[in-house]
Amino acid sequence: MRGRELEVLVKTAAKQALVNVSEQLARAVAESGVSTGIACASVPHTTCALLINEDEEGLREDILRLSGEVIEPLRRKAPFAHDRIDNNAAAHLTSLFFHPSVTVPISGGKPLLGTWQSLFLLELDGPRTRTVRFTVTGE
Ligand code: ZN
């Protein structure tokens, strides 16, 4: 059984943004020496998330549109309580619809992603520098 942890810093350029971190995942797996196992990507943040989907320009726009609008009906009803302290309740609440970690199988020393699957960091309260942790275990 092998294990390896790797942290990478990801700079986001806008309030909401999608950053493809598939290469960082592949590098973490390659550096681990694990051939068969799992890689867990996680973010130690409450206003961003990770997701797997297709890296297509239109779809990236659609995902940002979805994440930008998913809690709007709630906001229209009444102000968010958390906005009293740091004005980013929408980012916290939107992150609830995504995940702070994603697990990917490893096969043949590579992340087992489908042809159209990429791993993304979804920024909801940028621009910021975010930490993405990769924990790789297996044989
Ligand atoms: Zn906050």
Side-chain angles (χ1 to χ4, degrees):
M1 184 78 126
R2 290 168 179 261
R4 175 83 198 268
E5 293 179 5
L6 180 74
E7 279 190 4
V8 298
L9 298 178
V10 176
K11 288 188 178 178
T12 62
K15 178 79 173 172
Q16 296 202 333
L18 272 173
V19 181
N20 189 329
V21 293
S22 300
E23 285 186 18
Q24 291 91 329
L25 168 65
R27 194 171 67 237
V29 171
E31 289 179 5
S32 74
V34 169
S35 176
T36 303
I38 56 169
C40 178
S42 62
V43 286
H45 308 293
T46 56
T47 56
C48 70
L50 294 169
L51 60 91
I52 291 176
N53 218 298
E54 183 177 347
D55 191 355
E56 188 275 321
E57 187 177 356
L59 184 60
R60 287 198 307 267
E61 277 180 35
D62 295 337
I63 292 169
L64 291 175
R65 181 176 160 202
L66 169 72
S67 64
E69 295 180 5
V70 70
I71 53 87
E72 272 309 304
L74 189 60
R75 184 206 300 268
R76 280 195 291 270
K77 286 185 181 172
F80 292 132
H82 182 68
D83 283 344
R84 289 193 297 257
I85 65 162
D86 69 359
N87 203 33
N88 67 352
H92 287 282
L93 295 172
T94 303
S95 77
L96 299 175
F97 292 88
F98 298 90
H99 304 280
S101 66
V102 171
T103 301
V104 178
I106 299 166
S107 179
K110 294 181 176 172
L112 196 55
L113 292 173
T115 303
W116 304 108
Q117 287 185 313
S118 290
L119 175 65
F120 289 95
L121 169 76
L122 173 63
E123 176 62 78
L124 298 167
D125 194 30
R128 293 183 190 230
T129 299
R130 299 297 197 171
T131 299
V132 182
R133 293 180 177 145
F134 297 102
T135 304
V136 183
T137 58
E139 302 187 348

Coordinates of all heavy atoms in Angstrom, one line a residue, residues 2 6 10 21 50 76-77 79 81 85 107 118 120 122-123 127 132-136 138:
R2 N 0.7 2.1 -0.9 CA 1.4 3.4 -1.0 C 0.4 4.5 -0.7 O -0.8 4.4 -0.9 CB 1.9 3.6 -2.4 CG 3.0 2.7 -2.9 CD 3.2 2.9 -4.4 NE 4.3 2.1 -4.9 CZ 5.5 2.5 -5.1 NH1 5.8 3.7 -4.9 NH2 6.4 1.7 -5.6
L6 N -0.5 15.6 -1.9 CA 0.1 16.7 -2.6 C -0.9 17.9 -2.6 O -2.1 17.7 -2.8 CB 0.3 16.3 -4.1 CG 0.9 17.4 -5.0 CD1 2.4 17.6 -4.7 CD2 0.8 17.0 -6.5
V10 N -4.2 27.1 -6.6 CA -4.9 27.5 -7.8 C -5.4 28.9 -7.7 O -6.1 29.2 -6.8 CB -6.1 26.5 -8.1 CG1 -6.8 27.0 -9.3 CG2 -5.6 25.1 -8.2
V21 N -8.4 21.4 -13.3 CA -7.3 20.9 -12.5 C -7.0 19.4 -12.8 O -6.3 18.8 -12.0 CB -7.5 21.2 -11.0 CG1 -7.5 22.6 -10.7 CG2 -8.7 20.5 -10.5
L50 N -15.5 21.3 -5.9 CA -14.9 20.5 -7.0 C -16.0 19.8 -7.8 O -17.0 19.4 -7.2 CB -13.9 19.5 -6.5 CG -12.7 20.0 -5.8 CD1 -11.9 18.9 -5.0 CD2 -11.8 20.7 -6.8
R76 N -34.0 36.5 -3.3 CA -35.1 37.5 -3.6 C -36.2 37.5 -2.5 O -36.8 38.6 -2.3 CB -35.7 37.2 -5.0 CG -34.9 37.6 -6.1 CD -35.7 37.7 -7.4 NE -36.0 36.3 -7.9 CZ -35.2 35.6 -8.7 NH1 -34.1 36.1 -9.2 NH2 -35.6 34.4 -9.1
K77 N -36.3 36.5 -1.8 CA -37.3 36.4 -0.7 C -36.9 37.3 0.5 O -37.7 37.9 1.1 CB -37.6 35.0 -0.3 CG -38.4 34.2 -1.3 CD -38.8 32.8 -0.7 CE -39.6 32.0 -1.7 NZ -39.8 30.7 -1.3
P79 N -33.0 39.0 2.6 CA -31.5 39.0 2.7 C -31.0 37.8 3.4 O -31.7 37.3 4.4 CB -31.2 40.3 3.5 CG -32.5 41.1 3.4 CD -33.6 40.1 3.3
A81 N -28.7 35.9 6.2 CA -28.2 36.3 7.5 C -26.7 36.4 7.5 O -26.1 37.3 8.2 CB -28.7 35.3 8.5
I85 N -22.1 39.5 8.2 CA -20.7 39.5 8.7 C -19.7 39.6 7.6 O -18.7 40.2 7.7 CB -20.4 38.3 9.6 CG1 -20.6 37.0 8.9 CG2 -21.3 38.4 10.9 CD1 -19.9 35.9 9.6
S107 N -6.2 3.6 -12.4 CA -6.0 2.4 -13.1 C -4.8 2.6 -14.1 O -4.7 3.6 -14.8 CB -7.2 2.0 -13.9 OG -7.0 0.8 -14.6
S118 N -13.4 16.0 -17.1 CA -12.3 16.8 -16.5 C -12.7 17.1 -15.1 O -13.9 17.2 -14.7 CB -12.1 18.1 -17.3 OG -11.6 17.9 -18.6
F120 N -12.7 19.9 -12.2 CA -12.7 21.4 -12.1 C -12.8 21.8 -10.7 O -13.5 21.2 -9.9 CB -13.9 22.0 -12.8 CG -13.9 21.9 -14.3 CD1 -14.6 20.8 -15.0 CD2 -13.3 22.8 -15.1 CE1 -14.6 20.7 -16.3 CE2 -13.3 22.8 -16.5 CZ -14.0 21.7 -17.1
L122 N -14.5 24.8 -8.9 CA -15.5 25.9 -9.1 C -15.4 26.9 -8.1 O -15.6 26.7 -6.9 CB -16.9 25.2 -9.0 CG -18.1 26.2 -9.0 CD1 -18.2 26.9 -10.4 CD2 -19.4 25.5 -8.8
E123 N -14.9 28.1 -8.5 CA -14.8 29.3 -7.6 C -16.1 30.0 -7.5 O -16.8 30.2 -8.5 CB -13.7 30.2 -8.2 CG -13.6 31.5 -7.4 CD -13.1 31.3 -6.0 OE1 -11.9 31.0 -5.8 OE2 -13.9 31.3 -5.1
P127 N -11.9 36.8 -6.9 CA -10.7 36.0 -7.1 C -9.9 35.7 -5.9 O -9.9 36.6 -5.0 CB -9.9 36.9 -8.1 CG -10.3 38.3 -7.8 CD -11.8 38.2 -7.4
V132 N -5.9 23.0 -3.4 CA -6.5 21.7 -3.8 C -5.6 20.6 -3.3 O -4.4 20.7 -3.6 CB -6.7 21.6 -5.3 CG1 -7.4 20.2 -5.6 CG2 -7.5 22.7 -5.9
R133 N -6.1 19.7 -2.5 CA -5.3 18.6 -1.9 C -5.6 17.3 -2.7 O -6.8 17.0 -2.9 CB -5.6 18.4 -0.4 CG -5.2 19.6 0.4 CD -5.6 19.4 1.9 NE -5.0 20.5 2.7 CZ -5.7 21.0 3.7 NH1 -6.8 20.4 4.1 NH2 -5.1 22.0 4.4
F134 N -4.6 16.6 -3.0 CA -4.8 15.3 -3.6 C -4.2 14.3 -2.7 O -3.0 14.3 -2.3 CB -4.0 15.2 -5.0 CG -4.5 16.2 -6.0 CD1 -3.8 17.4 -6.3 CD2 -5.7 16.0 -6.7 CE1 -4.3 18.3 -7.2 CE2 -6.2 16.9 -7.6 CZ -5.5 18.0 -7.9
T135 N -5.0 13.3 -2.3 CA -4.6 12.2 -1.4 C -4.7 11.0 -2.3 O -5.8 10.6 -2.7 CB -5.5 12.1 -0.2 OG1 -5.5 13.4 0.5 CG2 -5.0 11.0 0.8
V136 N -3.6 10.3 -2.5 CA -3.6 9.1 -3.4 C -3.2 7.9 -2.6 O -2.2 7.9 -1.9 CB -2.5 9.4 -4.5 CG1 -2.6 8.2 -5.5 CG2 -2.8 10.7 -5.2
G138 N -3.1 3.4 -2.7 CA -3.3 2.2 -3.5 C -2.0 1.4 -3.6 O -1.1 1.6 -2.8

